[in-house]
Amino acid sequence: MKKSLDRMLKRTVAILVLLTIIALPFSFNKDVQAASHTAISDTLSRLQDTTTANHTIQFDLATAWDDTEALVVDFVDGDGFSTAGFANTEAEDFDITWEGAEQTIVAAGGCSGAAIEIEVTTVDTTTDTFTFTRCTGDADSAANDTVVIEIGTNATAGSAGNDQIVNATSSGSKTVSLTGPTSGDSAQFALAIMSGDQVTVSATVDPSVTSSLSASTCTLGTLVSSAINFCSYTNTVSTNATSGYASTIVENGNLCSPSVAVCTNTVDDAAGDNDVDQASEEYGVSSNDTTGTQDIIDSTGCDDSGVVEAASAITTSAQVYADSGDGDTGPVSGAVTTVCHSASVSGTTPAGSYSHIVTHITTGTF
């Protein structure tokens, strides 16, 4: 009977030991199960291979990032990224925000005990890894906090960054890993490196210029020595010429009676003083374009309010009366210029019907 009890006891002990051995690995794995960061992204300024780029890495922490703990960003060796130029003495190449709050980034050994300090502990340009450590005494984070790491010239919170990571030497999916800050925390994400990341978009705009006169006749009426007679019309110009436009006027002959073809008498051109004086036999033209430098005199009048009207003699050589401005620069849309003809006569001006034709030419400079 005693032997039977001994056998049963031994069997029970053996079963308990076996169950303990079987359960032990599951218990151990549960204690060391790694946590993974989430919502990870890395936005690059360029994706083309062998091209410098800024990186904006964003992720939610798997666990709290406490002071003295380190986070490693690893551009996997062998994928062809180059971090040459970076160093743990150049904190200006890095910015880190914590739940939207900007952290103070310091070079290796630069922790001062101030709040929200993160140290650039190591930069390994051989393995292309960056290690960031929360300084001693810094406030701890919480799990699921959002961290954003900027690497490159986009790091501008302190001094502006002046280095950039060179993209992998070949196109395709490239792996980057995050390790830490808590032991076992890790994550991987991928970058889509491209053989070409830019598209050249081109277009042409046809040159254009339009010029429209508001009238084809201009009637001065009956000229008398007691007044200055006027008539006017407009020229409206639109052009996309990069150097603008110029409008000119030219006559087929003097203001003649009975016609230019059979010219018995003329009304004299305005004299060199560029005006028409009441009771003087004078005829000329002006425009209201006061911008730029024209051959024809500017005038804002073209009415019968005075005894002198600004006017230039019209000749058989083209003269500029309107343009885009000094240097003829710039396209214009619907630029309206008023052209004013004015005349007066003396008591000895021969009677008759006087006329001539003026021609307007507008030229764009493209």
Side-chain angles (χ1 to χ4, degrees):
M1 182 68 177
K2 184 175 181 299
K3 290 183 178 180
S4 178
L5 287 173
D6 288 341
R7 288 194 200 97
M8 289 179 64
L9 180 61
K10 288 179 180 179
R11 287 174 184 171
T12 301
V13 171
I15 291 170
L16 288 174
V17 170
L18 179 61
L19 290 174
T20 300
I21 293 172
I22 293 172
L24 183 61
F26 293 98
S27 175
F28 178 78
N29 286 341
K30 181 178 180 181
D31 289 340
V32 299
Q33 184 175 5
S36 179
H37 305 299
T38 58
I40 310 169
S41 65
D42 185 1
T43 303
L44 279 66
S45 58
R46 293 289 304 275
L47 289 178
Q48 184 165 322
D49 57 32
T50 323
T51 300
T52 57
N54 294 325
H55 290 248
T56 302
I57 303 170
Q58 179 172 323
F59 59 96
D60 292 343
L61 286 166
T63 57
W65 186 357
D66 298 335
D67 68 336
T68 74
E69 291 182 337
L71 174 77
V72 179
V73 180
D74 183 0
F75 290 83
V76 176
D77 188 30
D79 273 351
F81 288 94
S82 173
T83 56
F86 288 89
N88 62 357
T89 56
E90 298 181 358
E92 68 273 9
D93 289 327
F94 310 93
D95 280 349
I96 299 178
T97 61
W98 197 294
E99 286 290 294
E102 200 74 48
Q103 309 294 292
T104 300
I105 309 303
V106 297
C111 291
S112 66
I116 59 173
E117 281 188 329
I118 296 178
E119 176 191 72
V120 183
T121 307
T122 61
V123 173
D124 191 328
T125 58
T126 300
T127 59
D128 302 315
T129 58
F130 302 92
T131 303
F132 304 98
T133 304
R134 289 187 69 81
C135 292
T136 301
D138 200 358
D140 296 339
S141 74
N144 301 317
D145 279 357
T146 299
V147 175
V148 177
I149 302 174
E150 293 176 314
I151 303 175
T153 58
N154 56 336
T156 57
S159 300
N162 53 23
D163 293 299
Q164 292 178 295
I165 298 172
V166 180
N167 285 339
T169 54
S170 61
S171 61
S173 180
K174 307 300 178 181
T175 302
V176 183
S177 66
L178 297 174
T179 305
T182 302
S183 177
D185 288 355
S186 66
Q188 288 187 326
F189 57 93
L191 303 179
I193 301 303
M194 307 169 68
S195 59
D197 65 348
Q198 295 181 327
V199 175
T200 300
V201 180
S202 62
T204 59
V205 177
D206 289 337
S208 68
V209 58
T210 61
S211 179
S212 176
L213 296 173
S214 63
S216 59
T217 60
C218 188
T219 303
L220 288 167
T222 300
L223 303 180
V224 294
S225 60
S226 59
I228 298 176
N229 287 30
F230 303 89
C231 67
S232 66
Y233 48 90
T234 61
N235 184 15
T236 302
V237 175
S238 295
T239 183
N240 60 2
T242 55
S243 295
Y245 78 96
S247 294
T248 62
I249 189 171
V250 63
E251 65 179 7
N252 67 338
N254 288 334
L255 191 61
C256 288
S257 174
S259 68
V260 171
V262 183
C263 187
T264 303
N265 298 303
T266 65
V267 174
D268 293 339
D269 286 336
D273 56 359
N274 282 322
D275 64 31
V276 169
D277 296 299
Q278 183 178 311
S280 295
E281 184 182 307
E282 292 182 291
Y283 164 66
V285 70
S286 64
S287 82
N288 70 340
D289 187 353
T290 59
T291 303
T293 304
Q294 294 91 34
D295 301 315
I296 298 299
I297 195 166
D298 303 327
S299 174
T300 57
C302 205
D303 55 32
D304 57 0
S305 61
V307 296
V308 178
E309 173 68 20
S312 299
I314 310 172
T315 70
T316 54
S317 296
Q319 299 175 91
V320 176
Y321 66 85
D323 60 18
S324 296
D326 287 318
D328 293 340
T329 57
V332 296
S333 177
V336 179
T337 301
T338 299
V339 180
C340 179
H341 294 255
S342 58
S344 188
V345 292
S346 68
T348 59
T349 301
S353 178
Y354 293 79
S355 66
H356 72 159
I357 296 173
V358 294
T359 301
H360 292 264
I361 302 295
T362 295
T363 304
T365 303
F366 294 90

PDB file of all heavy atoms in Angstrom, residues 15-46:
ATOM      1  N   ILE A  15       4.138  15.339 -13.020  1.00  0.00           N
ATOM      2  CA  ILE A  15       3.163  16.080 -13.843  1.00  0.00           C
ATOM      3  C   ILE A  15       3.247  17.562 -13.552  1.00  0.00           C
ATOM      4  O   ILE A  15       3.225  18.402 -14.467  1.00  0.00           O
ATOM      5  CB  ILE A  15       1.746  15.542 -13.580  1.00  0.00           C
ATOM      6  CG1 ILE A  15       1.616  14.117 -14.144  1.00  0.00           C
ATOM      7  CG2 ILE A  15       0.707  16.448 -14.200  1.00  0.00           C
ATOM      8  CD1 ILE A  15       0.332  13.416 -13.729  1.00  0.00           C
ATOM      9  N   LEU A  16       3.359  17.935 -12.251  1.00  0.00           N
ATOM     10  CA  LEU A  16       3.446  19.360 -11.883  1.00  0.00           C
ATOM     11  C   LEU A  16       4.705  19.998 -12.475  1.00  0.00           C
ATOM     12  O   LEU A  16       4.686  21.132 -12.967  1.00  0.00           O
ATOM     13  CB  LEU A  16       3.443  19.494 -10.357  1.00  0.00           C
ATOM     14  CG  LEU A  16       2.108  19.210  -9.661  1.00  0.00           C
ATOM     15  CD1 LEU A  16       2.273  19.240  -8.148  1.00  0.00           C
ATOM     16  CD2 LEU A  16       1.060  20.241 -10.101  1.00  0.00           C
ATOM     17  N   VAL A  17       5.817  19.306 -12.437  1.00  0.00           N
ATOM     18  CA  VAL A  17       7.068  19.830 -13.014  1.00  0.00           C
ATOM     19  C   VAL A  17       6.935  20.027 -14.514  1.00  0.00           C
ATOM     20  O   VAL A  17       7.351  21.039 -15.078  1.00  0.00           O
ATOM     21  CB  VAL A  17       8.241  18.874 -12.691  1.00  0.00           C
ATOM     22  CG1 VAL A  17       9.497  19.271 -13.477  1.00  0.00           C
ATOM     23  CG2 VAL A  17       8.523  18.869 -11.193  1.00  0.00           C
ATOM     24  N   LEU A  18       6.325  19.027 -15.158  1.00  0.00           N
ATOM     25  CA  LEU A  18       6.144  19.116 -16.616  1.00  0.00           C
ATOM     26  C   LEU A  18       5.267  20.300 -16.984  1.00  0.00           C
ATOM     27  O   LEU A  18       5.565  21.051 -17.922  1.00  0.00           O
ATOM     28  CB  LEU A  18       5.539  17.808 -17.134  1.00  0.00           C
ATOM     29  CG  LEU A  18       5.273  17.742 -18.651  1.00  0.00           C
ATOM     30  CD1 LEU A  18       6.586  17.914 -19.414  1.00  0.00           C
ATOM     31  CD2 LEU A  18       4.614  16.414 -19.007  1.00  0.00           C
ATOM     32  N   LEU A  19       4.157  20.497 -16.255  1.00  0.00           N
ATOM     33  CA  LEU A  19       3.262  21.634 -16.528  1.00  0.00           C
ATOM     34  C   LEU A  19       3.981  22.971 -16.319  1.00  0.00           C
ATOM     35  O   LEU A  19       3.775  23.928 -17.053  1.00  0.00           O
ATOM     36  CB  LEU A  19       2.022  21.555 -15.637  1.00  0.00           C
ATOM     37  CG  LEU A  19       1.038  20.426 -15.962  1.00  0.00           C
ATOM     38  CD1 LEU A  19      -0.072  20.369 -14.914  1.00  0.00           C
ATOM     39  CD2 LEU A  19       0.428  20.639 -17.357  1.00  0.00           C
ATOM     40  N   THR A  20       4.825  23.007 -15.273  1.00  0.00           N
ATOM     41  CA  THR A  20       5.585  24.245 -15.001  1.00  0.00           C
ATOM     42  C   THR A  20       6.541  24.550 -16.140  1.00  0.00           C
ATOM     43  O   THR A  20       6.687  25.697 -16.596  1.00  0.00           O
ATOM     44  CB  THR A  20       6.359  24.110 -13.684  1.00  0.00           C
ATOM     45  OG1 THR A  20       5.435  23.873 -12.619  1.00  0.00           O
ATOM     46  CG2 THR A  20       7.160  25.367 -13.384  1.00  0.00           C
ATOM     47  N   ILE A  21       7.206  23.523 -16.645  1.00  0.00           N
ATOM     48  CA  ILE A  21       8.154  23.718 -17.758  1.00  0.00           C
ATOM     49  C   ILE A  21       7.438  24.190 -19.008  1.00  0.00           C
ATOM     50  O   ILE A  21       7.913  25.069 -19.736  1.00  0.00           O
ATOM     51  CB  ILE A  21       8.920  22.408 -18.033  1.00  0.00           C
ATOM     52  CG1 ILE A  21       9.825  22.091 -16.846  1.00  0.00           C
ATOM     53  CG2 ILE A  21       9.728  22.498 -19.321  1.00  0.00           C
ATOM     54  CD1 ILE A  21      10.483  20.715 -16.922  1.00  0.00           C
ATOM     55  N   ILE A  22       6.258  23.592 -19.250  1.00  0.00           N
ATOM     56  CA  ILE A  22       5.495  23.987 -20.446  1.00  0.00           C
ATOM     57  C   ILE A  22       4.994  25.417 -20.330  1.00  0.00           C
ATOM     58  O   ILE A  22       5.022  26.190 -21.291  1.00  0.00           O
ATOM     59  CB  ILE A  22       4.298  23.019 -20.647  1.00  0.00           C
ATOM     60  CG1 ILE A  22       4.820  21.617 -21.002  1.00  0.00           C
ATOM     61  CG2 ILE A  22       3.356  23.536 -21.720  1.00  0.00           C
ATOM     62  CD1 ILE A  22       3.731  20.548 -21.023  1.00  0.00           C
ATOM     63  N   ALA A  23       4.558  25.814 -19.113  1.00  0.00           N
ATOM     64  CA  ALA A  23       3.972  27.150 -18.935  1.00  0.00           C
ATOM     65  C   ALA A  23       5.020  28.236 -18.876  1.00  0.00           C
ATOM     66  O   ALA A  23       4.744  29.392 -19.195  1.00  0.00           O
ATOM     67  CB  ALA A  23       3.132  27.178 -17.652  1.00  0.00           C
ATOM     68  N   LEU A  24       6.258  27.882 -18.495  1.00  0.00           N
ATOM     69  CA  LEU A  24       7.288  28.905 -18.285  1.00  0.00           C
ATOM     70  C   LEU A  24       7.579  29.749 -19.508  1.00  0.00           C
ATOM     71  O   LEU A  24       7.644  30.974 -19.419  1.00  0.00           O
ATOM     72  CB  LEU A  24       8.575  28.217 -17.780  1.00  0.00           C
ATOM     73  CG  LEU A  24       9.740  29.167 -17.438  1.00  0.00           C
ATOM     74  CD1 LEU A  24       9.308  30.120 -16.325  1.00  0.00           C
ATOM     75  CD2 LEU A  24      10.976  28.367 -17.011  1.00  0.00           C
ATOM     76  N   PRO A  25       7.746  29.203 -20.690  1.00  0.00           N
ATOM     77  CA  PRO A  25       8.036  30.057 -21.865  1.00  0.00           C
ATOM     78  C   PRO A  25       6.923  31.052 -22.144  1.00  0.00           C
ATOM     79  O   PRO A  25       7.197  32.187 -22.539  1.00  0.00           O
ATOM     80  CB  PRO A  25       8.184  29.049 -23.020  1.00  0.00           C
ATOM     81  CG  PRO A  25       8.537  27.766 -22.348  1.00  0.00           C
ATOM     82  CD  PRO A  25       7.795  27.770 -21.053  1.00  0.00           C
ATOM     83  N   PHE A  26       5.660  30.639 -21.959  1.00  0.00           N
ATOM     84  CA  PHE A  26       4.557  31.566 -22.223  1.00  0.00           C
ATOM     85  C   PHE A  26       4.582  32.722 -21.236  1.00  0.00           C
ATOM     86  O   PHE A  26       4.360  33.872 -21.587  1.00  0.00           O
ATOM     87  CB  PHE A  26       3.217  30.819 -22.150  1.00  0.00           C
ATOM     88  CG  PHE A  26       3.053  29.816 -23.243  1.00  0.00           C
ATOM     89  CD1 PHE A  26       3.323  28.467 -23.038  1.00  0.00           C
ATOM     90  CD2 PHE A  26       2.656  30.222 -24.517  1.00  0.00           C
ATOM     91  CE1 PHE A  26       3.169  27.555 -24.059  1.00  0.00           C
ATOM     92  CE2 PHE A  26       2.490  29.301 -25.538  1.00  0.00           C
ATOM     93  CZ  PHE A  26       2.756  27.952 -25.312  1.00  0.00           C
ATOM     94  N   SER A  27       4.887  32.419 -19.999  1.00  0.00           N
ATOM     95  CA  SER A  27       4.957  33.468 -18.989  1.00  0.00           C
ATOM     96  C   SER A  27       6.101  34.410 -19.300  1.00  0.00           C
ATOM     97  O   SER A  27       5.985  35.629 -19.213  1.00  0.00           O
ATOM     98  CB  SER A  27       5.136  32.837 -17.608  1.00  0.00           C
ATOM     99  OG  SER A  27       5.324  33.829 -16.631  1.00  0.00           O
ATOM    100  N   PHE A  28       7.243  33.887 -19.721  1.00  0.00           N
ATOM    101  CA  PHE A  28       8.429  34.699 -20.038  1.00  0.00           C
ATOM    102  C   PHE A  28       8.166  35.605 -21.242  1.00  0.00           C
ATOM    103  O   PHE A  28       8.466  36.791 -21.222  1.00  0.00           O
ATOM    104  CB  PHE A  28       9.615  33.764 -20.308  1.00  0.00           C
ATOM    105  CG  PHE A  28      10.871  34.494 -20.682  1.00  0.00           C
ATOM    106  CD1 PHE A  28      11.649  35.115 -19.712  1.00  0.00           C
ATOM    107  CD2 PHE A  28      11.265  34.587 -22.022  1.00  0.00           C
ATOM    108  CE1 PHE A  28      12.799  35.800 -20.061  1.00  0.00           C
ATOM    109  CE2 PHE A  28      12.401  35.264 -22.358  1.00  0.00           C
ATOM    110  CZ  PHE A  28      13.179  35.872 -21.377  1.00  0.00           C
ATOM    111  N   ASN A  29       7.564  35.042 -22.298  1.00  0.00           N
ATOM    112  CA  ASN A  29       7.288  35.827 -23.495  1.00  0.00           C
ATOM    113  C   ASN A  29       6.355  36.979 -23.203  1.00  0.00           C
ATOM    114  O   ASN A  29       6.479  38.060 -23.760  1.00  0.00           O
ATOM    115  CB  ASN A  29       6.680  34.928 -24.582  1.00  0.00           C
ATOM    116  CG  ASN A  29       7.722  34.036 -25.206  1.00  0.00           C
ATOM    117  OD1 ASN A  29       8.919  34.318 -25.101  1.00  0.00           O
ATOM    118  ND2 ASN A  29       7.275  32.938 -25.802  1.00  0.00           N
ATOM    119  N   LYS A  30       5.417  36.761 -22.318  1.00  0.00           N
ATOM    120  CA  LYS A  30       4.464  37.810 -21.983  1.00  0.00           C
ATOM    121  C   LYS A  30       5.173  38.980 -21.328  1.00  0.00           C
ATOM    122  O   LYS A  30       4.880  40.143 -21.574  1.00  0.00           O
ATOM    123  CB  LYS A  30       3.380  37.256 -21.069  1.00  0.00           C
ATOM    124  CG  LYS A  30       2.330  38.284 -20.701  1.00  0.00           C
ATOM    125  CD  LYS A  30       1.259  37.673 -19.828  1.00  0.00           C
ATOM    126  CE  LYS A  30       0.210  38.712 -19.450  1.00  0.00           C
ATOM    127  NZ  LYS A  30      -0.836  38.144 -18.585  1.00  0.00           N
ATOM    128  N   ASP A  31       6.174  38.694 -20.518  1.00  0.00           N
ATOM    129  CA  ASP A  31       6.870  39.759 -19.790  1.00  0.00           C
ATOM    130  C   ASP A  31       7.732  40.611 -20.708  1.00  0.00           C
ATOM    131  O   ASP A  31       7.952  41.783 -20.450  1.00  0.00           O
ATOM    132  CB  ASP A  31       7.751  39.151 -18.688  1.00  0.00           C
ATOM    133  CG  ASP A  31       6.928  38.586 -17.545  1.00  0.00           C
ATOM    134  OD1 ASP A  31       5.742  38.993 -17.417  1.00  0.00           O
ATOM    135  OD2 ASP A  31       7.462  37.760 -16.793  1.00  0.00           O
ATOM    136  N   VAL A  32       8.266  40.051 -21.791  1.00  0.00           N
ATOM    137  CA  VAL A  32       9.212  40.783 -22.629  1.00  0.00           C
ATOM    138  C   VAL A  32       8.626  41.114 -23.992  1.00  0.00           C
ATOM    139  O   VAL A  32       9.344  41.508 -24.893  1.00  0.00           O
ATOM    140  CB  VAL A  32      10.523  39.974 -22.812  1.00  0.00           C
ATOM    141  CG1 VAL A  32      11.186  39.740 -21.482  1.00  0.00           C
ATOM    142  CG2 VAL A  32      10.255  38.648 -23.534  1.00  0.00           C
ATOM    143  N   GLN A  33       7.348  41.002 -24.167  1.00  0.00           N
ATOM    144  CA  GLN A  33       6.742  41.266 -25.476  1.00  0.00           C
ATOM    145  C   GLN A  33       7.020  42.708 -25.896  1.00  0.00           C
ATOM    146  O   GLN A  33       6.780  43.638 -25.128  1.00  0.00           O
ATOM    147  CB  GLN A  33       5.246  41.021 -25.417  1.00  0.00           C
ATOM    148  CG  GLN A  33       4.579  41.174 -26.777  1.00  0.00           C
ATOM    149  CD  GLN A  33       3.110  40.814 -26.698  1.00  0.00           C
ATOM    150  OE1 GLN A  33       2.595  40.542 -25.627  1.00  0.00           O
ATOM    151  NE2 GLN A  33       2.450  40.796 -27.831  1.00  0.00           N
ATOM    152  N   ALA A  34       7.572  42.883 -27.093  1.00  0.00           N
ATOM    153  CA  ALA A  34       7.936  44.219 -27.581  1.00  0.00           C
ATOM    154  C   ALA A  34       6.697  45.023 -27.956  1.00  0.00           C
ATOM    155  O   ALA A  34       5.689  44.463 -28.375  1.00  0.00           O
ATOM    156  CB  ALA A  34       8.850  44.080 -28.801  1.00  0.00           C
ATOM    157  N   ALA A  35       6.813  46.343 -27.751  1.00  0.00           N
ATOM    158  CA  ALA A  35       5.732  47.249 -28.160  1.00  0.00           C
ATOM    159  C   ALA A  35       6.154  47.962 -29.431  1.00  0.00           C
ATOM    160  O   ALA A  35       7.334  48.186 -29.677  1.00  0.00           O
ATOM    161  CB  ALA A  35       5.439  48.251 -27.048  1.00  0.00           C
ATOM    162  N   SER A  36       5.189  48.341 -30.246  1.00  0.00           N
ATOM    163  CA  SER A  36       5.489  48.961 -31.541  1.00  0.00           C
ATOM    164  C   SER A  36       4.893  50.359 -31.613  1.00  0.00           C
ATOM    165  O   SER A  36       3.740  50.578 -31.222  1.00  0.00           O
ATOM    166  CB  SER A  36       4.930  48.106 -32.678  1.00  0.00           C
ATOM    167  OG  SER A  36       5.206  48.713 -33.926  1.00  0.00           O
ATOM    168  N   HIS A  37       5.707  51.304 -32.074  1.00  0.00           N
ATOM    169  CA  HIS A  37       5.193  52.647 -32.327  1.00  0.00           C
ATOM    170  C   HIS A  37       4.154  52.576 -33.442  1.00  0.00           C
ATOM    171  O   HIS A  37       4.195  51.691 -34.302  1.00  0.00           O
ATOM    172  CB  HIS A  37       6.333  53.592 -32.732  1.00  0.00           C
ATOM    173  CG  HIS A  37       7.453  53.621 -31.744  1.00  0.00           C
ATOM    174  ND1 HIS A  37       7.300  54.025 -30.446  1.00  0.00           N
ATOM    175  CD2 HIS A  37       8.769  53.279 -31.879  1.00  0.00           C
ATOM    176  CE1 HIS A  37       8.455  53.948 -29.821  1.00  0.00           C
ATOM    177  NE2 HIS A  37       9.371  53.486 -30.660  1.00  0.00           N
ATOM    178  N   THR A  38       3.236  53.525 -33.448  1.00  0.00           N
ATOM    179  CA  THR A  38       2.155  53.493 -34.438  1.00  0.00           C
ATOM    180  C   THR A  38       2.050  54.816 -35.184  1.00  0.00           C
ATOM    181  O   THR A  38       2.690  55.810 -34.818  1.00  0.00           O
ATOM    182  CB  THR A  38       0.811  53.196 -33.748  1.00  0.00           C
ATOM    183  OG1 THR A  38       0.563  54.199 -32.746  1.00  0.00           O
ATOM    184  CG2 THR A  38       0.812  51.825 -33.100  1.00  0.00           C
ATOM    185  N   ALA A  39       1.190  54.803 -36.212  1.00  0.00           N
ATOM    186  CA  ALA A  39       0.917  56.003 -37.026  1.00  0.00           C
ATOM    187  C   ALA A  39       2.217  56.637 -37.531  1.00  0.00           C
ATOM    188  O   ALA A  39       2.411  57.851 -37.437  1.00  0.00           O
ATOM    189  CB  ALA A  39       0.087  57.018 -36.239  1.00  0.00           C
ATOM    190  N   ILE A  40       3.108  55.800 -38.080  1.00  0.00           N
ATOM    191  CA  ILE A  40       4.437  56.265 -38.489  1.00  0.00           C
ATOM    192  C   ILE A  40       4.409  56.753 -39.933  1.00  0.00           C
ATOM    193  O   ILE A  40       3.849  56.106 -40.819  1.00  0.00           O
ATOM    194  CB  ILE A  40       5.468  55.133 -38.369  1.00  0.00           C
ATOM    195  CG1 ILE A  40       5.375  54.476 -36.992  1.00  0.00           C
ATOM    196  CG2 ILE A  40       6.874  55.653 -38.603  1.00  0.00           C
ATOM    197  CD1 ILE A  40       6.165  53.188 -36.899  1.00  0.00           C
ATOM    198  N   SER A  41       5.032  57.894 -40.149  1.00  0.00           N
ATOM    199  CA  SER A  41       5.183  58.409 -41.513  1.00  0.00           C
ATOM    200  C   SER A  41       6.478  59.190 -41.603  1.00  0.00           C
ATOM    201  O   SER A  41       6.982  59.699 -40.602  1.00  0.00           O
ATOM    202  CB  SER A  41       4.005  59.309 -41.908  1.00  0.00           C
ATOM    203  OG  SER A  41       3.983  60.479 -41.108  1.00  0.00           O
ATOM    204  N   ASP A  42       7.019  59.269 -42.802  1.00  0.00           N
ATOM    205  CA  ASP A  42       8.206  60.083 -43.071  1.00  0.00           C
ATOM    206  C   ASP A  42       7.962  60.808 -44.385  1.00  0.00           C
ATOM    207  O   ASP A  42       7.953  60.199 -45.449  1.00  0.00           O
ATOM    208  CB  ASP A  42       9.456  59.212 -43.154  1.00  0.00           C
ATOM    209  CG  ASP A  42      10.730  60.050 -43.303  1.00  0.00           C
ATOM    210  OD1 ASP A  42      10.626  61.295 -43.324  1.00  0.00           O
ATOM    211  OD2 ASP A  42      11.830  59.459 -43.391  1.00  0.00           O
ATOM    212  N   THR A  43       7.757  62.112 -44.283  1.00  0.00           N
ATOM    213  CA  THR A  43       7.519  62.928 -45.474  1.00  0.00           C
ATOM    214  C   THR A  43       8.831  63.547 -45.921  1.00  0.00           C
ATOM    215  O   THR A  43       9.460  64.295 -45.167  1.00  0.00           O
ATOM    216  CB  THR A  43       6.495  64.037 -45.186  1.00  0.00           C
ATOM    217  OG1 THR A  43       5.285  63.441 -44.718  1.00  0.00           O
ATOM    218  CG2 THR A  43       6.208  64.850 -46.444  1.00  0.00           C
ATOM    219  N   LEU A  44       9.243  63.220 -47.145  1.00  0.00           N
ATOM    220  CA  LEU A  44      10.499  63.728 -47.690  1.00  0.00           C
ATOM    221  C   LEU A  44      10.235  64.922 -48.605  1.00  0.00           C
ATOM    222  O   LEU A  44       9.174  65.021 -49.219  1.00  0.00           O
ATOM    223  CB  LEU A  44      11.221  62.634 -48.484  1.00  0.00           C
ATOM    224  CG  LEU A  44      12.043  61.610 -47.681  1.00  0.00           C
ATOM    225  CD1 LEU A  44      11.165  60.741 -46.812  1.00  0.00           C
ATOM    226  CD2 LEU A  44      12.894  60.767 -48.640  1.00  0.00           C
ATOM    227  N   SER A  45      11.219  65.794 -48.707  1.00  0.00           N
ATOM    228  CA  SER A  45      11.095  66.909 -49.644  1.00  0.00           C
ATOM    229  C   SER A  45      11.366  66.475 -51.081  1.00  0.00           C
ATOM    230  O   SER A  45      10.888  67.115 -52.026  1.00  0.00           O
ATOM    231  CB  SER A  45      12.061  68.036 -49.253  1.00  0.00           C
ATOM    232  OG  SER A  45      13.402  67.562 -49.234  1.00  0.00           O
ATOM    233  N   ARG A  46      12.126  65.397 -51.265  1.00  0.00           N
ATOM    234  CA  ARG A  46      12.359  64.798 -52.585  1.00  0.00           C
ATOM    235  C   ARG A  46      12.431  63.291 -52.417  1.00  0.00           C
ATOM    236  O   ARG A  46      12.901  62.790 -51.401  1.00  0.00           O
ATOM    237  CB  ARG A  46      13.674  65.302 -53.205  1.00  0.00           C
ATOM    238  CG  ARG A  46      13.721  66.763 -53.591  1.00  0.00           C
ATOM    239  CD  ARG A  46      12.853  67.061 -54.818  1.00  0.00           C
ATOM    240  NE  ARG A  46      13.185  66.255 -55.967  1.00  0.00           N
ATOM    241  CZ  ARG A  46      14.150  66.554 -56.849  1.00  0.00           C
ATOM    242  NH1 ARG A  46      14.887  67.632 -56.688  1.00  0.00           N
ATOM    243  NH2 ARG A  46      14.367  65.775 -57.905  1.00  0.00           N
TER     244      ARG A  46
END
